[in-house]
Every structure is written in structure tokens, then in C-alpha cells.
Amino acid sequence: MDILTTYGVMLVILAAVVGFFMAWGIGANDVANAMGTSVGSKALTIKQAIIIAMIFEFAGAYLAGGEVTSTIRKGIIDAEPFMHVPELFVIGMISALIAAGTWLAVASYMGWPVSTTHSIVGAIIGFAVIAAGSEAIHWDKVGGIVGSWIVTPLLSGVLAYIIFMSAQRFIFDTENPIKNAKRYVPIYMALGGFVMALVTIKKGLKHVFKDASISISTTEAYVYAIIVGIIVAIIGGIFIKRLNIDENAAREEQFSNVEKIFAVLMIVTACCMAFAHGSNDVANAIGPLAAVVSVVENDGVIGAKSALAWWILPLGAFGIVAGLALFGHRVMATIGKGITHLTPSRGFAAELAAASTVVIASGTGLPISTTQTLVGAVLGVGIARGIAALNMGTVRNIVISWVVTLPAGAGLAIIAYLLLTSILL
């Protein structure tokens, strides 16, 4: 306890630095997932993708990142053993941020799309085992996370396969692709508008509504999303009808024009995913930081929730943007080009499938990784074209990196915790 009194300010500054480092890692790794398909399909250049993602990720993190965050992310550990030794809890949270940030930096450098949530969860497990023993871990929650490695990529992969094959069946494999695009693309637009509105309401704006004392039931969220979907379909249908595209042109030219339509859809879906991601995953960086600040300011009292100091959200938002701008291109290349060749229609199928999986997961309480969801969706699109269309070497590296993430986070956190305790205690 004397440590918190003596070194409280120093510990908060250290937590802020490593919290920024963790947010930087989230930007470098996770944000690239939202934009990777757009870049890989050439709907956007890397420069355009980074600018769009910076705007929407920052907006999501800063405007909708929440005023209060859970002290212990995902309820993975029990705070009870730390009640009488809050200094160990503070050192542990700082260790977790150092460990998760380091692993994300390594993974981003290698171009591996890993889960930022699993990185911080693994790190928290690591320090808790050393500090309080394995009985402090809620192993059932850990089991749910491991199960999500299979369930979420499989679900998004199946959805992407269905969406992609339907576009092939109703548009690309017909005698007149342009004519059928004018007929069916508004339906895809309606579906996209509906899913993206749901993602934005349920994952992106939930904190804004809560802060404004607005309660939106699940039924109301679906009604609003349906209205958005219908409006998007009507506007999209009008624009497509006005496009001066020759229905009697050569098939290759028709394919090219249809892909241009899907490219516009992709940009809209990518913006919504970036906003929802910024609002949701910024908590991976600011949750432990907010916990440290709260414990130090409240003289060692560990609460279930931590109110955010005014400077924490902007710190997390700037960290995400900095990581994306400086390092995001590596993971973007893996998602967009490394797994399978993407076109705008294939990328749209993957984005829509990933967003749909996020909605399903949030409705059912399924633990989810945005990264694994999108990778699964891209794999689904690749499988629809045949196994030969997949780069199995890249797929193998990605799967290995997923499996390694939890133990890597835990191992690095143990090292950081032992180093910090030897210095401070």
C-alpha cells in the first residue's frame, strides 16, 4: 500500500505510456482487419484506407468508447485475492499492458493478424497465476475463448461462402450480369445497410446511448436497422439505374462494372466496421489503464467498474490511429492479398459475413475476435473458389499465431511482472 502512496503518480504515468503502446498495437494489427479486404480488392489504396480508418476508428474510440469500463477485461480473473494487496494488482495490470503490447508489435511486424482481446486476456491470466495462483482464474471463461477460435471463423466462413456463391449464381454466372446486378445488388445493399446499422447501434453507439440515458431495446435496434436497410436499398437502386452502363457490352466489361458497384459497398461496410471496432476494442488498452488510475486515486480500493479520467479515451484513440498509420500496412497485406485473391464482390462478401457474425455473437454472448471472424470470412470466400485459391502457407502461419497468442501474452506478462516486482517491491 505504501508503494501506491509513494509511487502513485509514477505508476499512473507508466500505465499511460504502456496503455498507449497497447493501443498502438491494436491500431497496427486489428484495424488493418477492417480495411484489409478493401485494400486487397483495390477498392481503396493503402493511403485512402489509412485515412478513412483513422477518421472512423478515432470517432468510434473517442465518441463511443464509454465512460466506464470493466476493471478486469472479460471477467477473466477474480479480484478478491488482490483486495488486501492492491499494489500487486496495479503492477499486474501494467505488466499485462506491456506483454500484450509487445506481442501485438511482434505479430504486426510479422504480418500476423492476431486477436488483441486474446492478447490482453492471456497477459492478465499470466500475471494473475503468478500473483494469486491458478484458482484466481475463471477457467470456464478461458474455455469459451478457446472455443471461439473454432466457432467464430467457421460461422463467418460459412456466411461468406453463402453470400459469395449467391452473387455468383444470381449475377456473375448469368448471360447479362449488368441487368441482374441492377436487380439484385439493391438486395445486397439492403442486407449490408441492415447489418451495418445493427453493428453500429449494438457495438458502436451503445456507450453513447447509455451516457445520454437513452435505452434502445433489441427489438427497436432491429426496427431501426431494417429502416436503414430499406433506405440504403432505395438510394442504391436509384444510383445504379442512373449508371450509364451498356448491358450489351462484352462480359468482361460487364464484370468490371459490376465490381465497381461492389467496391462502393465495400467502402461503406469498412467505415462502419472501423467505427464499431474503435468503440469496442479500445477497451483492451484503456481497461487495464483505467483500473490502475482508479486503484491509485481511490487509495487501493479495487472496484468492479472504473470511471475513465478525461484523458484516457483520447490517449487510446490516438494510440490506435498512430499504430494504424505507422505499421498497419503489414497486416493489411496479409488479409487483403496473402490468403486469397480478392475482388470487390469477394471482399464485400467477407466484410458482410464478418459483420453478420459480430451481430450474431453480440446477441448470443459468444466470445468473439474481430480478427478471427474476418480471417474466417476471407477463407470462406477462398474456399468457394476452390482450395487451390488459398495460400495454405499463409493460412498455416495465421492459425499458429492464433494458438500462440494466449500463451505468448501470458509468458510475456509473467516476465514483466517478475521484473517490475523485483524493482518496486
Side-chain angles (χ1 to χ4, degrees):
M1 195 61 198
D2 290 339
I3 290 169
L4 296 184
T5 309
T6 310
Y7 299 111
V9 175
M10 188 196 81
L11 288 169
V12 168
I13 292 170
L14 178 59
V17 171
V18 293
F20 183 87
F21 178 49
M22 173 66 183
W24 182 91
I26 293 171
N29 200 287
D30 244 18
V31 179
N33 300 331
M35 290 292 164
T37 48
S38 302
V39 173
S41 64
K42 296 186 168 58
L44 291 170
T45 64
I46 281 191
K47 192 173 181 181
Q48 289 168 334
I50 287 174
I51 291 169
I52 290 173
M54 282 165 69
I55 293 167
F56 284 91
E57 285 280 344
F58 185 88
Y62 186 62
L63 298 176
E67 292 301 317
V68 175
T69 187
S70 298
T71 298
I72 299 166
R73 188 82 174 119
K74 304 288 182 190
I76 281 294
I77 63 170
D78 188 1
E80 191 64 36
F82 298 100
M83 290 301 182
H84 301 298
V85 279
E87 63 272 17
L88 294 185
F89 180 79
V90 167
I91 292 170
M93 283 297 177
I94 292 172
S95 304
L97 286 170
I98 292 170
T102 302
W103 172 243
L104 288 176
V106 170
S108 301
Y109 178 78
M110 299 301 291
W112 298 334
V114 298
S115 168
T116 54
T117 304
H118 295 176
S119 302
I120 192 68
V121 164
I124 289 173
I125 290 169
F127 97 76
V129 167
I130 289 292
S134 60
E135 60 275 7
I137 313 297
H138 293 160
W139 292 108
D140 55 325
K141 294 281 183 78
V142 179
I145 288 169
V146 173
S148 74
W149 293 348
I150 299 166
V151 176
T152 51
L154 185 64
L155 178 58
S156 63
V158 169
L159 288 173
Y161 181 92
I162 293 168
I163 294 166
F164 174 71
M165 291 306 285
S166 71
Q168 289 292 115
R169 166 79 174 76
F170 295 119
I171 299 174
F172 290 98
D173 291 343
T174 61
E175 288 186 9
N176 196 323
I178 291 295
K179 183 180 177 182
N180 285 300
K182 288 180 177 179
R183 181 185 300 167
Y184 291 112
V185 166
I187 296 172
Y188 290 110
M189 287 180 161
L191 187 58
F194 168 75
V195 172
M196 287 302 158
L198 264 185
V199 168
T200 307
I201 291 167
K202 291 174 81 70
K203 301 288 278 186
L205 295 175
K206 60 183 177 183
H207 300 302
V208 174
F209 292 142
K210 197 178 288 183
D211 297 339
S213 300
I214 300 169
S215 62
I216 292 185
S217 67
T218 302
T219 306
E220 288 174 327
Y222 274 90
V223 169
Y224 293 143
I226 288 168
I227 292 169
V228 170
I230 292 168
I231 292 170
V232 169
I234 292 169
I235 294 171
I238 292 168
F239 274 104
I240 290 170
K241 279 191 172 66
R242 287 184 175 178
L243 289 175
N244 188 21
I245 302 172
D246 184 8
E247 291 185 10
N248 299 313
R251 282 174 67 80
E252 286 300 317
E253 192 179 328
Q254 290 196 41
F255 289 156
S256 175
N257 285 316
V258 173
E259 291 290 1
K260 286 175 185 173
I261 296 169
F262 276 105
V264 176
L265 288 181
M266 275 204 73
I267 294 166
V268 175
T269 56
C271 291
C272 292
M273 285 292 278
F275 182 84
H277 176 267
S279 66
N280 198 55
D281 277 29
V282 71
N284 288 328
I286 66 171
L289 169 57
V292 170
V293 173
S294 174
V295 172
V296 171
E297 286 183 348
N298 293 311
D299 300 321
V301 176
I302 302 172
K305 298 274 185 180
S306 305
L308 296 184
W310 65 268
W311 53 270
I312 292 178
L313 263 181
L315 182 88
F318 276 115
I320 285 176
V321 167
L324 170 69
L326 296 173
F327 231 46
H329 62 280
R330 288 177 178 268
V331 179
M332 267 191 211
T334 302
I335 294 279
K337 298 174 185 174
I339 299 172
T340 190
H341 175 65
L342 291 177
T343 61
S345 60
R346 296 167 193 163
F348 173 73
E351 286 271 5
L352 186 56
S356 302
T357 306
V358 169
V359 169
I360 293 166
S362 64
T364 57
L366 187 74
I368 193 168
S369 158
T370 320
T371 305
Q372 292 174 356
T373 303
L374 191 66
V375 169
V378 174
L379 283 171
V381 169
I383 290 168
R385 298 173 55 230
I387 294 294
L390 293 174
N391 183 335
M392 296 310 293
T394 301
V395 173
R396 183 191 65 242
N397 291 341
I398 289 172
V399 171
I400 291 170
S401 71
W402 287 358
V403 174
V404 169
T405 292
L406 265 177
L412 289 167
I414 289 168
I415 294 167
Y417 180 80
L418 292 173
L419 279 172
L420 285 176
T421 48
S422 67
I423 293 167
L424 295 170
L425 298 182

